[in-house]
Amino acid sequence: MSSPTNTSAARRMTMAQAIAEAIAQEMQQDPEVFVLGEDVGKYGGIFGATTGLLARFGKDRIMDTPISETAFIGAAIGAAAEGMRPIAELMFVDFFGVCMDMIYNHMAKNTYMAGGNISLPMVLMTGIGGGYNDAAQHSQCLYATFAHLPGMKVVVPSNAYDAKGLMIQSIRDNNPVVFMFHKGIMGLPWMSYFEGSTNEVPEEAYAIPFGQARVVREGTDLTIVTLSQMVQKAVLAAAELAGEGISAEVIDLRTIVPLDRQAILDSVRKTGRLLIADEDYLSFGLSGEIAAIVAENLDSVTLRAPVKRLAVPDVPIPYARPLEQFVIPQVDGIVAAARQLVSANTIERKAA
């Protein structure tokens, strides 16, 4: 569950820089890799994930497309079926509604529908998350929606080191991969972001295998399972909790398809308490799936308190900043939930 060993001098990079470097390195060594989408060329991607690639590789491999997600994702699917390795950027994950037929009925299913006679080695890259007042149509995460639909791998990095390694793994994978980066941790100068996402990144290419969660911080009193930007919030919360004598273990899932179930169970076996911090919607989502995994293994896991879930309530993401901050879990909410988990156990022991 640890990060791969760095084999060369590392530099500090933002997630946007790390993703662009990963794509460039794979394009350099494999001529079948190309990028297409809205504003991925001269603009460098609205969130910086393709910065500098047009100048380096030209317009035949970095393709700005018309505003038709159905068209360019469909084109990517066709190219992948012919043996190329396209990376299609869906600017905001919220836009999946206009192209879901291509994503779920073709990208996710065509290998199965063809009896395994074709593979679709493509990456659907997309921006997720709120926190900067872009309202209900540009602020969702929705990774649980994609994870619920079979046929796609779902990758959600929390920092630059992981973003580079997971992007390289995504491009090399022979199956459709949905690569979801949170806008609030890309390190963009025009958007406030959590600095923990900017970290050391080796110069050479490296791949991080899917399905391997990372223990970001070890602890003994409770487990916080999370991903994406919420990892940075959980780390800040864990530091605050440590000052109160509460030792929180933070697990970064990294990918949810495949999901590292063993890492979750191993940590909860150790701590006896589980807090899930999630920026996706509460009902029918990732937090419920993780809670169910623990519930289904109570023959080998002993819980010292009920599972606690923090996620977005079942409302559209508000535009008004106070309301947006209220519905998206924040550091203070993670701290408060952790305190409740630990104190609940104390009450039970006193009652006994």
Side-chain angles (χ1 to χ4, degrees):
M1 293 186 293
S2 60
S3 297
T5 302
N6 297 359
T7 58
S8 71
R11 315 133 299 157
R12 289 185 63 82
M13 301 185 78
T14 66
M15 267 183 57
Q17 292 168 336
I19 292 169
E21 181 170 271
I23 295 172
Q25 289 178 341
E26 290 304 288
M27 291 185 70
Q28 184 68 37
Q29 65 91 28
D30 187 347
E32 300 299 333
V33 179
F34 70 100
V35 181
L36 71 168
E38 298 160 7
D39 291 329
V40 299
K42 184 177 180 180
Y43 194 86
I46 189 171
F47 301 114
T50 56
T51 298
L53 298 183
L54 176 64
R56 183 170 176 182
F57 297 101
K59 60 185 177 64
D60 289 338
R61 296 184 70 190
I62 306 296
M63 304 178 182
D64 278 322
T65 66
I67 303 176
S68 177
E69 290 80 5
T70 297
F72 70 74
I73 292 174
I77 294 167
E82 290 297 317
M84 302 187 77
R85 292 184 177 272
I87 303 166
E89 180 172 296
L90 177 63
M91 189 179 289
F92 291 82
V93 72
D94 315 70
F95 299 168
F96 86 100
V98 301
C99 52
M100 195 55 173
D101 179 57
M102 281 296 160
I103 296 171
Y104 182 50
N105 279 326
H106 297 277
M107 187 183 86
K109 293 179 180 175
N110 279 1
T111 297
Y112 174 81
M113 297 291 284
N117 289 306
I118 61 170
S119 60
L120 295 176
M122 63 175 289
V123 179
L124 179 63
M125 178 170 66
T126 187
I128 66 171
Y132 67 111
N133 313 116
D134 221 0
Q137 296 175 347
H138 296 76
S139 302
Q140 299 168 97
C141 283
L142 301 180
Y143 33 72
T145 300
F146 290 83
H148 179 69
L149 306 173
M152 302 173 281
K153 297 182 179 181
V154 181
V155 177
V156 195
S158 69
N159 61 81
Y161 180 90
D162 284 2
K164 179 176 176 179
L166 290 169
M167 174 54 80
I168 289 174
Q169 181 72 14
S170 298
I171 296 169
R172 295 177 182 177
D173 199 290
N174 288 325
N175 303 282
V177 178
V178 182
F179 187 98
M180 313 178 89
F181 55 79
H182 195 296
K183 304 180 284 285
I185 50 175
M186 289 291 277
L188 303 172
W190 49 271
M191 182 186 299
S192 61
Y193 67 98
F194 284 83
E195 294 184 0
S197 62
T198 297
N199 56 6
E200 292 188 347
V201 179
E203 292 184 17
E204 77 273 8
Y206 59 92
I208 297 176
F210 295 157
Q212 294 187 6
R214 181 171 68 101
V215 179
V216 180
R217 180 185 178 117
E218 294 190 355
T220 56
D221 292 327
L222 79 152
T223 296
I224 303 175
V225 174
T226 188
L227 73 170
S228 192
Q229 181 179 247
M230 205 62 65
V231 171
Q232 312 307 334
K233 294 180 181 179
V235 168
L236 293 173
E240 185 173 338
L241 290 165
E244 303 175 12
I246 299 173
S247 175
E249 181 151 293
V250 179
I251 304 293
D252 179 357
L253 293 175
R254 285 174 157 172
T255 67
I256 57 176
V257 180
L259 178 65
D260 192 347
R261 292 169 171 81
Q262 194 61 50
I264 297 167
L265 293 172
D266 287 347
S267 182
V268 178
R269 284 191 188 101
K270 178 173 69 172
T271 67
R273 303 181 183 91
L274 173 60
L275 170 61
I276 305 151
D278 181 16
E279 197 181 321
D280 210 344
Y281 295 117
L282 178 66
S283 295
F284 314 105
L286 179 64
S287 64
E289 180 67 22
I290 295 169
I293 289 168
V294 173
E296 290 168 350
N297 287 274
L298 290 179
D299 56 341
S300 62
V301 176
T302 300
L303 287 177
R304 301 163 66 186
V307 173
K308 182 74 174 176
R309 297 190 292 155
L310 288 179
V312 176
D314 302 325
V315 298
I317 307 297
Y319 166 76
R321 184 166 182 79
L323 293 177
E324 183 186 42
Q325 293 291 304
F326 177 77
V327 302
I328 296 175
Q330 305 296 333
V331 174
D332 56 356
I334 297 173
V335 171
R339 288 195 195 113
Q340 290 174 6
L341 275 176
V342 175
S343 64
N345 181 59
T346 303
I347 293 170
E348 288 172 9
R349 285 188 295 183
K350 287 180 178 178

